């Protein structure tokens, strides 16, 4: 997956990553762009990321997916394993779209929990009630795909890395003209 992302980046790109966790993706790929803003809602995750050696063009910031867009518009916005965690996915996708330059890319990998087997959905619901699993938006792959299209994006590629088809990797492009 990282090599596919890298193949889509240009040295002139300004990238925003939503939900960067401990910064592994940003640290691995930032040398291939001019600026990488890596954000996460967890100050603990950002502290871990900041403690790692990273290029001078990487900035780690505490921000959730609703307020991470300072410094936009961006050439690329990455959202890995985060779109199922936001409270208002349509609004978040609208903000992503609005903060991408025309022709810009949304690169996402999103768990589609509604497509998991019933036993796993029940397990996650039980774990959520005892505080061991986050609240998620239970989307199907087709609902995720439609939400991205409804926002105005054109899907460029959809793939699965690994065996979990319920966690699709989607590359979508903002058209060069309007919505």
């Amino acid at each position: 997956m990282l090599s596919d992302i890298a193949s889509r980046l240009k040295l002139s790109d300004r990238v925003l990553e939503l939900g960067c966790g401990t910064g592994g993706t940003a640290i691995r790929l930032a040398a291939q762009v001019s600026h990488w803003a890596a954000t996460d809602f967890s100050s603990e995750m950002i502290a871990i990321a900041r403690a790692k050696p990273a290029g001078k063009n990487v900035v780690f910031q505490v921000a959730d997916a609703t307020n991470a867009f300072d410094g936009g518009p961006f050439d690329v916005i990455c959202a890995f394993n985060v779109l199922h965690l936001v409270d208002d996915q349509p609004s978040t996708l609208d903000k992503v779209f609005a903060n991408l330059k025309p022709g810009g890319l949304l690169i996402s990998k999103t768990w589609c929990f509604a497509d998991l087997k019933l036993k796993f959905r029940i397990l996650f619901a039980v774990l959520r009630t005892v505080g061991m699993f986050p609240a998620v938006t239970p989307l199907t792959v087709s609902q995720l795909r439609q939400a991205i299209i409804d926002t105005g994006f054109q899907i460029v590629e959809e793939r699965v890395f690994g065996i979990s088809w319920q966690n699709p990797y989607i590359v979508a492009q903002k058209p060069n003209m309007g919505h």
Side-chain angles (χ1 to χ4, degrees):
M1 186 179 91
L2 290 175
S3 61
D4 186 79
I5 298 164
S7 74
R8 298 173 188 282
L9 300 175
K10 298 185 292 291
L11 282 174
S12 60
D13 282 347
R14 296 183 66 256
V15 177
L16 170 65
E17 183 181 0
L18 303 174
C20 71
T22 61
T25 300
I27 291 167
R28 286 185 184 103
L29 296 176
Q32 299 175 333
V33 300
S34 69
H35 179 76
W36 193 292
T39 65
D40 199 284
F41 79 99
S42 168
S43 58
E44 292 86 3
M45 293 286 200
I46 293 297
I48 293 168
R50 286 178 178 159
K52 295 177 179 179
K56 295 185 186 311
N57 65 332
V58 180
V59 177
F60 292 105
Q61 302 166 319
V62 177
D64 66 25
T66 62
N67 63 6
F69 299 97
D70 290 348
F74 298 92
D75 300 289
V76 178
I77 295 179
C78 298
F80 304 122
N81 298 314
V82 71
L83 290 177
H84 59 281
L85 297 172
V86 297
D87 292 331
D88 185 350
Q89 187 188 64
S91 174
T92 300
L93 285 170
D94 284 342
K95 287 179 183 180
V96 167
F97 190 91
N99 285 281
L100 272 172
K101 293 178 182 175
L105 297 178
L106 163 63
I107 304 176
S108 72
K109 195 163 189 277
T110 305
W111 275 103
C112 294
F113 285 93
D115 282 330
L116 292 176
K117 291 181 180 178
L118 180 61
K119 65 182 178 182
F120 291 115
R121 293 194 317 260
I122 291 170
L123 172 64
F124 293 141
V126 169
L127 291 174
R128 187 170 35 258
T129 62
V130 295
M132 295 180 66
F133 195 79
V136 298
T137 301
L139 297 168
T140 64
V141 172
S142 60
Q143 287 171 328
L144 172 65
R145 187 182 305 116
Q146 192 60 52
I148 291 170
I149 291 168
D150 289 348
T151 303
F153 286 103
Q154 297 169 342
I155 294 180
V156 174
E157 184 170 357
E158 182 177 336
R159 294 171 59 177
V160 173
F161 289 96
I163 60 170
S164 298
W165 63 270
Q166 308 91 341
N167 189 11
Y169 169 84
I170 296 176
V171 179
Q173 186 170 34
K174 180 177 180 175
N176 281 320
M177 299 290 177
H179 206 32

